[in-house]
């Protein structure tokens, strides 16, 4: 099992985690920034397909839970988009009741360490809708650089919203880790 200071990262367990996937993916607050798909109630079959696809199509798919209680906080996955160039991307979803508590940052720091150190990534990228301000601020704080704008990619609440393409290179991540290690000692 992989752990951080407050989280344990575990394989998906349908009997334990599936109800939380249903709740998160059927919450407007979460679903509006999860994907460009329609923001509508998802059927159990739709949720199953999403989970199956995440497991099959990603090099990493993990649920993260509180170490103390085993409560599911969220999930994340990462895939190697281009093996030759070692470019990867990721998705992270945190259940709404855990927003604003630093769990996404903690999970992402683990993900960045793991993908750069163990999976051989050269670059890790993501897209975030501009209205997801807290997520964009988190990504910037973790060292991700804005690489471009995908214009009017999401139609939400009667208007169009852009997405920001962001990325971090292994050398940038390494420099940040070394600076943090120096500050911690």
């Amino acid at each position: 099992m992989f752990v951080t200071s407050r989280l344990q990262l575990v394989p998906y367990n349908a009997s334990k985690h599936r109800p939380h996937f249903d709740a998160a993916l059927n919450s407007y607050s979460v679903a509006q920034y999860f994907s460009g798909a329609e923001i509508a109630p998802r059927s159990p079959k739709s949720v199953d397909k999403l989970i199956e696809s995440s497991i099959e199509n990603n090099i990493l798919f993990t649920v993260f839970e509180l170490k103390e209680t085993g409560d599911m906080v969220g999930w994340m996955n990462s895939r190697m988009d281009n093996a030759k160039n070692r470019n990867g991307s990721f998705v992270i979803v945190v259940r709404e009741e855990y927003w604003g508590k630093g769990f996404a940052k903690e999970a992402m720091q683990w993900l960045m360490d793991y993908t750069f150190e163990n999976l051989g990534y050269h670059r890790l990228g993501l897209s975030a809708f501009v209205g997801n301000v807290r997520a964009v601020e988190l990504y910037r704080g973790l060292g991700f650089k804005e690489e471009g704008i995908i214009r009017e990619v999401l139609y939400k609440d009667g208007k169009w919203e852009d997405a920001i393409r962001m990325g971090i290179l292994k050398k940038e991540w390494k420099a940040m880790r070394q600076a943090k290690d120096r500050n911690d000692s």
Side-chain angles (χ1 to χ4, degrees), residues 35-94:
S35 75
E38 291 79 19
I39 302 168
R42 290 182 184 244
S43 69
K45 187 175 181 178
S46 168
V47 173
D48 286 339
K49 280 184 176 181
L50 177 102
I51 294 167
E52 287 170 23
S53 173
S54 294
I55 292 169
E56 291 173 12
N57 298 323
N58 291 286
I59 195 167
L60 170 74
F61 176 75
T62 187
V63 171
F64 46 102
E65 305 173 332
L66 295 176
K67 273 200 299 197
E68 289 185 11
T69 64
D71 291 341
M72 180 179 154
V73 175
W75 69 92
M76 60 187 168
N77 61 51
S78 183
R79 69 175 185 221
M80 184 74 74
D81 297 321
N82 183 307
K84 175 188 170 286
N85 297 317
R86 298 179 295 153
N87 294 326
S89 61
F90 75 95
V91 171
I92 184 167
V93 178
V94 175

Side-chain angles (χ1 to χ4, degrees), residues 15 44 47 59 76 80 84 92 98 106 110 122 140 164 182 184:
S15 62
V47 173
I59 195 167
M76 60 187 168
M80 184 74 74
K84 175 188 170 286
I92 184 167
Y98 294 103
E106 191 171 323
W110 177 88
H122 168 70
R140 285 185 179 131
I164 302 172
R182 280 193 303 274
D184 288 347

